[in-house]
Amino acid sequence: MPLQLPFRFGSKSAETPLESRARQSKMMEYDQPLVWVTLLLMLLGMVMVYSASISLPDSPKFANYVRWQNTYFLQRQAMFIAVSLVVGLFVFRIRVADLQKAAPYLFIGTLVLLVLVLIPGIGVVVNGGRRWLSLKVFNVQPSELMKVVAVLYAADYTVRKQEYMHKLTKGFMPMAAAVGFVGLLLLLEPDLGAFGVIVCIAMGILFLGGINAIWFGGIGAVLVVIFGSIIALSKFRRERYFAYLNPWEEDNALNKAYQLTHSLIAFGRGEIFGVGLGGSVEKLHYLPEAHTDFLLAVIGEELGLAGVLVVIALFYWIIKRAFDIGRQAIAIDQTFAGLTAKGIGIWIGVQTFINMGVNLGLLPTKGLTLPLMSYGGTGVVINCIGLAILLRIDYENRVLMRGGRL
């Protein structure tokens, strides 16, 4: 019997079948670039929140609880990020199939929270809006929770009703009624921005799930009429809309378009490379809510066009990755997971577009934060939950493509 050497002269050593399979499978266990991009956005957001809020202790509005501590918002945002990462790790361990089973119950539970917000003595009023529930340590905003729950519910509904997607009464109307009820509760807070995002999530997932194109177009037209009517019938929203069309008119610039004009001034001062980190003038009590809704304006002033383009590129990468993961899941017959991943992409994309559009004067002023970056506990936690679900979907895709079991 000839002797079999473990190697050949002039070639690489022979591999066992196990070693060969290990060498061929170079797929990572999870999407590391997605994790790093998410962390980068959150940490950049924390730095910019600190920069944007450093002068707030001088304001009587914040003096009662800031107590002249310039690092108050930095410490809070760092705490929110730490909590978000812990919650995200917990959510990542939940199987996608379990999320699908829980989707209807999560939707009902979040509806209950939206009702509780409207009850005097339970709901917390901030800046004229009743949108929060107090947990003593920090306030919880159920409308933020509804965004990720709406993704799960719409994806589950589309899978369950797949055979009725081309029918109006059995396919679309039940979902429309559910979203309409959510919208009614949100408009009572009021929170038109969150309602708009949730409508986009539901409509986007239904469209991807195969709803009749004619019905979809007609429903889209009806939604435009509804939102137009809401604006037209509300004096406050109507004045804000017309102010957005002509922000530099003196009366508008001093009233309804005050935030927009100072946001545009901030971008103008930043030019290409900005005035330098910490050098913003607009954050010195000229631009209201600089650490929340108008954080991008501070980024534009301090880091310039270059900084803004980097932020846009990072968000674009996350959104594209969400759709890639969703397409991959659908290709291996994981329809709920695929629709959920794409729904998360729609949610992050729509909210980012609205916030950036408002900051840049492309859209009427609306109170929506920049995902992952703006100051706020509920927003950052919910964003991390959504991205943890996206990472879980990608993880299960990789396991299934290796031939493993969940």
Side-chain angles (χ1 to χ4, degrees):
M1 181 176 180
L3 178 64
Q4 293 183 350
L5 297 176
F7 60 89
R8 294 179 182 176
F9 291 105
S11 66
K12 296 181 179 179
S13 60
E15 295 175 332
T16 65
L18 181 61
E19 291 172 338
S20 178
R21 285 197 299 270
R23 182 180 60 81
Q24 292 172 3
S25 180
K26 295 182 179 180
M27 191 185 301
M28 292 183 292
E29 291 292 334
Y30 63 95
D31 193 333
Q32 292 184 15
L34 180 57
V35 173
W36 286 114
V37 170
T38 301
L39 288 174
L40 180 59
L41 280 172
M42 287 195 295
L43 293 176
L44 176 59
M46 183 175 68
V47 172
M48 297 312 303
V49 164
Y50 175 50
S51 179
S53 63
I54 198 167
S55 65
L56 290 182
D58 300 335
S59 171
K61 178 180 177 180
F62 299 100
N64 290 334
Y65 59 91
V66 175
R67 297 177 184 174
W68 303 97
Q69 297 179 22
N70 292 335
T71 60
Y72 175 85
F73 289 99
L74 172 64
Q75 293 172 7
R76 297 274 292 182
Q77 189 73 354
M79 181 188 73
F80 295 149
I81 290 174
V83 171
S84 300
L85 294 177
V86 173
V87 174
L89 287 172
F90 173 77
V91 173
F92 178 77
R93 298 179 65 85
I94 301 175
R95 296 169 62 247
V96 175
D98 295 332
L99 290 173
Q100 183 176 5
K101 293 176 184 177
Y105 305 103
L106 291 172
F107 185 75
I108 294 171
T110 310
L111 281 178
V112 173
L113 294 179
L114 288 175
V115 172
L116 290 176
V117 164
L118 301 174
I119 300 176
I122 298 179
V124 177
V125 179
V126 179
N127 293 334
R130 188 183 296 274
R131 304 172 187 172
W132 290 267
L133 294 172
S134 177
L135 295 182
K136 303 300 181 183
V137 179
F138 61 91
N139 295 334
V140 174
Q141 192 172 354
S143 59
E144 289 290 331
L145 178 60
M146 180 54 79
K147 293 172 186 175
V148 67
V149 171
V151 171
L152 296 173
Y153 181 73
D156 174 59
Y157 178 87
T158 303
V159 171
R160 287 188 289 109
K161 301 286 185 177
Q162 190 61 52
E163 59 182 311
Y164 301 115
M165 279 292 102
H166 289 279
K167 297 182 180 179
L168 180 64
T169 53
K170 291 184 178 181
F172 175 77
M173 290 306 294
M175 188 66 188
V179 174
F181 184 61
V182 170
L184 176 62
L185 295 175
L186 291 174
L187 290 176
L188 291 174
E189 293 185 2
D191 195 346
L192 181 61
F195 180 36
V197 172
I198 289 169
V199 167
C200 290
I201 291 170
M203 291 294 291
I205 291 177
L206 288 176
F207 176 76
L208 294 171
I211 192 173
N212 185 287
I214 297 176
W215 289 121
F216 183 84
I219 292 158
V222 170
L223 287 172
V224 171
V225 172
I226 291 173
F227 277 96
S229 300
I230 291 172
I231 294 172
L233 296 175
S234 170
K235 182 181 178 182
F236 173 77
R237 294 190 178 99
R238 188 169 62 248
E239 289 177 349
R240 177 178 283 186
Y241 179 78
F242 285 113
Y244 139 80
L245 294 176
N246 186 17
W248 299 108
E249 194 273 324
E250 182 177 358
D251 184 57
N252 291 337
L254 295 174
N255 292 288
K256 299 300 181 183
Y258 180 82
Q259 283 179 299
L260 174 57
T261 53
H262 281 278
S263 177
L264 295 176
I265 291 171
F267 283 111
R269 290 193 74 248
E271 297 184 349
I272 303 299
F273 296 107
V275 298
L277 185 63
S280 169
V281 171
E282 287 299 319
K283 70 185 182 184
L284 304 177
H285 309 299
Y286 292 104
L287 179 61
E289 306 300 332
H291 61 308
T292 55
D293 301 344
F294 284 85
L295 187 67
L296 187 70
V298 179
I299 295 174
E301 186 177 2
E302 296 189 350
L303 304 181
L305 176 63
V308 172
L309 290 178
V310 168
V311 172
I312 292 174
L314 292 174
F315 276 111
Y316 170 78
W317 192 91
I318 288 178
I319 295 161
K320 181 181 182 300
R321 187 72 190 110
F323 276 85
D324 289 343
I325 291 171
R327 186 162 51 249
Q328 192 175 59
I330 291 173
I332 57 176
D333 295 326
Q334 301 296 308
T335 307
F336 170 79
L339 292 175
T340 299
K342 292 184 178 183
I344 292 170
I346 293 171
W347 160 34
I348 299 295
V350 168
Q351 184 162 334
T352 300
F353 174 76
I354 292 176
N355 177 273
M356 291 184 173
V358 167
N359 277 254
L360 293 166
L362 302 176
L363 296 172
T365 304
K366 198 73 219 80
L368 278 176
T369 57
L370 186 61
L372 296 171
M373 299 187 72
S374 291
Y375 174 80
T378 306
V380 175
V381 171
I382 298 303
N383 293 154
C384 279
I385 288 175
L387 291 172
I389 294 172
L390 183 62
L391 280 167
R392 178 69 195 191
I393 293 169
D394 177 69
Y395 168 77
E396 294 193 2
N397 287 350
R398 293 168 189 245
V399 171
L400 292 172
M401 287 189 294
R402 285 194 182 99
R405 294 183 180 180
L406 301 175

